[in-house]
């Protein structure tokens, strides 16, 4: 999201951009996540709904229900690698940044980013863009579509066996996609579109 914000300003020296698992707008993100949530098993949705209505999203039941979503759309590898587990532990220990920016969860974005969008400014991006996402990603196709629809020459690569972390789930293919894109950048600094 920060890279997209930077690119729409047309900064000098920007030669290309890789956007991995990021939405073009939080309203699009929220719509996609809501659709994914509706596809969860009924009993999981009922727990999420009940705990949210009761204001008990810190409960063990809520965490277990949310984990079903995460196992489908955040990271499809279990157990989580140490670096991912550490991020979750850190967020649980001090949720200040996440709650300020997102809110209690990605199911209901109420934080400062709730209305964030670069969609109306994407046509100003004049560098090659590689958009990456997993086939089961919580960054749904609809949330990344504006990048490929509005940035001239932007390319999309979907990793079919991955969710939100194809850099972990399909590490070799992910690395090859990024390396191929970067190899298209010539010595003069222009990436091939």
């Amino acid at each position: 999201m920060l890279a997209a914000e930077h690119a729409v300003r047309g900064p000098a020296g920007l030669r290309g951009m890789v956007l991995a698992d990021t939405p073009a707008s939080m309203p699009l993100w929220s719509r996609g996540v809501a659709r994914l949530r509706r596809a969860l098993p009924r009993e999981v949705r009922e727990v999420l709904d009940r705990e949210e209505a009761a204001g008990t999203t810190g409960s063990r039941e809520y965490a277990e229900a949310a984990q079903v979503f995460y196992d489908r759309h955040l990271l499809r590898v279990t157990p989580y690698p140490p670096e991912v587990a550490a991020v979750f532990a850190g967020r649980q220990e001090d949720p200040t940044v996440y709650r300020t920016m997102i809110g209690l969860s990605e199911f209901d974005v109420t934080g400062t980013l709730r209305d964030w969008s670069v969609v109306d400014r994407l046509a100003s991006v004049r560098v090659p863009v590689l958009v990456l996402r997993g086939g089961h990603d919580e960054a749904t196709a609809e949330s990344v579509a504006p990048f490929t629809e509005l940035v001239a020459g932007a390319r999309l690569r979907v990793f079919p066996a991955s969710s939100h972390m194809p850099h972990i789930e399909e590490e070799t293919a992910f690395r090859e996609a990024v390396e191929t894109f970067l190899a298209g950048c010539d010595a003069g600094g222009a990436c091939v579109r």
Side-chain angles (χ1 to χ4, degrees):
M1 294 165 70
L2 289 173
E5 275 292 342
H6 183 65
V8 298
R9 290 169 169 77
L14 183 64
R15 300 179 343 200
M17 180 171 52
V18 176
L19 297 172
D21 313 284
T22 189
S25 94
M26 287 309 286
L28 288 174
W29 168 277
S30 293
R31 282 198 291 274
V33 166
R35 182 178 47 77
L36 295 174
R37 179 175 165 154
R38 287 190 301 272
L40 292 172
R42 180 185 48 78
E43 61 274 9
V44 172
R45 293 190 320 267
E46 287 174 353
V47 170
L48 294 172
D49 292 344
R50 181 183 69 238
E51 299 297 314
E52 288 169 353
T56 53
T57 57
S59 72
R60 178 185 54 78
E61 293 83 4
Y62 188 83
E64 289 172 357
Q67 192 64 48
V68 173
F69 179 88
Y70 295 147
D71 289 346
R72 290 179 178 200
H73 303 294
L74 182 72
L75 181 58
R76 299 166 72 87
V77 173
T78 55
Y80 285 175
E83 65 274 16
V84 176
V87 168
F88 271 87
R91 186 174 101 186
Q92 189 158 9
E93 183 178 314
D94 184 0
T96 304
V97 172
Y98 184 85
R99 286 190 178 164
T100 299
M101 296 174 71
I102 301 297
L104 291 176
S105 77
E106 52 262 71
F107 299 135
D108 186 24
V109 179
T110 58
T112 57
L113 292 176
R114 73 183 159 274
D115 298 319
W116 175 85
S117 178
V118 291
V119 172
D120 62 336
R121 299 172 284 152
L122 285 174
S124 67
V125 176
R126 301 280 182 242
V127 297
V129 175
L130 175 62
V131 180
L132 307 170
R133 66 175 290 277
H136 305 277
D137 205 325
E138 61 183 345
T140 60
E142 67 192 279
S143 74
V144 304
F147 292 125
T148 56
E149 294 169 356
L150 300 172
V151 176
R155 291 179 283 171
L156 173 65
R157 171 73 188 271
V158 177
F159 298 89
S162 294
S163 56
H164 194 59
M165 299 188 196
H167 63 285
I168 293 172
E169 296 161 297
E170 294 181 70
E171 181 182 357
T172 300
F174 184 91
R175 185 179 310 119
E176 287 172 357
V178 172
E179 288 173 354
T180 299
F181 176 77
L182 295 176
C185 297
D186 65 27
C191 296
V192 177
R193 285 193 186 260

